[in-house]
Amino acid sequence: MFDELGMNPDQLKNYCDENTIGVVATLGSTFTGIYESVQEIANALDVIENETGLDIPIHVDGASRAFIAPFIQRKLKWDFCIQRVKSINASGHKFGMAPLGVGWIIWRTVADLPQELIFNVDYLGGQMPTFALNFSRPAGQIIAQYYNFLRYGREGYTAIQNDCANTAQYLGSELRKIDLLEMLYDGNGGIPAVCYSLKDENKAEFSLYDLSDRLRMHGWQIASYPLPSNRENITVQRILIRHGVSHDMVSLLLRDIRKGLDYLKNNSVPKSSDNISFHH
Ligand SMILES: *Cc1c(COP(=O)(O)O)cnc(C)c1O
């Protein structure tokens, strides 16, 4: 129970009651890159429905994954093929490769988007339904997203995401060879990313924050941060591999990580550096 890194479907019943409006499954966790199993969560909710009559829908937070799974993990069931999934969001500006600021959400049916969230406005001579807080917004990122869809196509997205996944898995396999590190996610099965902590965090003479500092000296911005509630005693670093992060770049990064760790092993650092964290 205390070593989970995501939602445990077996525990859902402890958190669901008649006030639960939905369960959000995250596909690729922001913290680790790991996928939560939508299928297992749906199965657990089926059991809950059988026992209590509560029909609880699922929203899939596919910020990263919804632009990855359709191309390179096509066997995995996570989307509207699961009846309980009523809505999915995806960030165009992440693995969708559109400019910053564009995200998408799709509802299973019109009926799944509550009417009271939609405002019908009579605007300059036409009826315009809007589901947003602000009215005038730029469309550039949306057009850029459509351009990417047409320009790359399914084939292009597949090639790019495969490349990213391979690079992340290479990085994961090389990091695994470093004795001081404990891999939490090695790039296999989730989004193109890796996540790791220090093996003996409490015994070590330095922290990942110190490693962040060393890497920063070589121009790498690799944040260190604690995991969320109940696992906040673990400090991790996460590296995301997106389009443009090449195998060569990752080789240079690995060189600097090894150098940084060697330096920290051989040179004591003041403990107070734990308090210095990275800010966006
Ligand atoms: C990035 C991210 C979000 C936020 O998405 P934006 O498109 O940046 O608003 C939500 N959930 C997860 C899991 C994410 O990785």
Side-chain angles (χ1 to χ4, degrees):
M1 166 170 184
F2 293 111
D3 56 4
E4 299 290 341
L5 289 171
M7 189 179 345
N8 178 341
D10 296 336
Q11 289 176 11
L12 264 178
K13 57 180 177 305
N14 303 332
Y15 297 94
C16 291
D17 62 20
E18 66 282 4
N19 294 317
T20 307
I21 61 169
V23 170
V24 179
T26 307
L27 298 169
S29 150
T30 313
F31 292 90
T32 59
I34 294 170
Y35 291 164
E36 290 175 334
S37 168
V38 182
Q39 182 71 71
E40 285 176 29
I41 289 167
N43 293 346
L45 290 172
D46 287 347
V47 172
I48 290 172
E49 181 168 5
N50 283 338
E51 288 172 358
T52 65
L54 299 170
D55 180 8
I56 300 171
I58 294 176
H59 169 78
V60 176
D61 181 351
S64 294
R65 198 268 181 88
F67 270 103
I68 292 169
F71 304 110
I72 64 170
Q73 292 151 343
R74 293 176 64 175
K75 286 201 188 117
L76 235 131
K77 286 196 161 49
W78 64 281
D79 58 10
F80 292 120
C81 69
I82 296 172
Q83 286 300 316
R84 247 174 229 289
V85 173
K86 301 297 182 199
S87 52
I88 299 171
N89 69 285
S91 299
H93 59 223
K94 291 183 178 171
F95 288 92
M97 293 180 290
L100 195 61
V102 63
W104 304 97
I105 179 159
I106 301 177
W107 280 267
R108 179 182 203 92
T109 65
V110 173
D112 290 313
L113 173 58
Q115 267 307 308
E116 57 273 28
L117 290 179
I118 306 218
F119 305 95
N120 272 298
V121 190
D122 192 350
Y123 191 61
L124 298 180
Q127 273 293 317
M128 180 155 148
T130 172
F131 168 56
L133 296 177
N134 57 341
F135 213 83
S136 304
R137 277 163 298 146
Q141 318 91 313
I142 297 169
I143 293 164
Q145 177 84 81
Y146 280 134
Y147 175 78
N148 279 346
F149 283 155
L150 293 173
R151 176 86 176 82
Y152 294 127
R154 180 177 276 280
E155 215 176 298
Y157 270 91
T158 304
I160 290 165
Q161 311 304 34
N162 258 325
D163 239 31
C164 293
N166 289 338
T167 305
Q169 286 157 17
Y170 165 70
L171 177 60
S173 65
E174 289 299 307
L175 288 172
R176 193 177 277 296
K177 294 179 192 162
I178 299 177
D179 272 347
L180 289 166
L181 301 181
E182 173 89 42
M183 296 308 291
L184 273 72
Y185 172 57
D186 66 0
N188 287 285
I191 61 177
V194 298
C195 181
Y196 50 90
S197 60
L198 275 186
K199 206 168 262 166
D200 286 307
E201 211 180 347
N202 298 326
K203 277 185 250 155
E205 294 294 312
F206 61 90
S207 69
L208 281 184
Y209 294 97
D210 299 315
L211 181 60
S212 289
D213 284 347
R214 298 298 308 170
L215 291 172
R216 194 119 198 202
M217 291 174 203
H218 297 279
W220 304 104
Q221 291 190 11
I222 312 261
S224 299
Y225 51 91
L227 289 180
S229 304
N230 298 328
R231 303 304 303 276
E232 66 268 38
N233 55 330
I234 302 179
T235 301
V236 301
Q237 284 184 350
R238 177 200 70 168
I239 303 172
L240 273 171
I241 306 298
R242 284 191 16 163
H243 185 37
V245 180
S246 64
H247 201 279
D248 282 356
M249 275 175 85
V250 160
S251 302
L252 294 174
L253 172 60
L254 278 163
R255 180 198 65 189
D256 291 335
I257 290 176
R258 292 191 193 102
K259 266 207 306 211
L261 286 169
D262 272 347
Y263 177 90
L264 291 167
K265 231 174 15 184
N266 299 315
N267 297 272
S268 62
V269 287
K271 276 280 176 197
S272 63
S273 57
D274 282 19
N275 299 329
I276 303 165
S277 63
F278 174 84
H279 295 284
H280 282 284

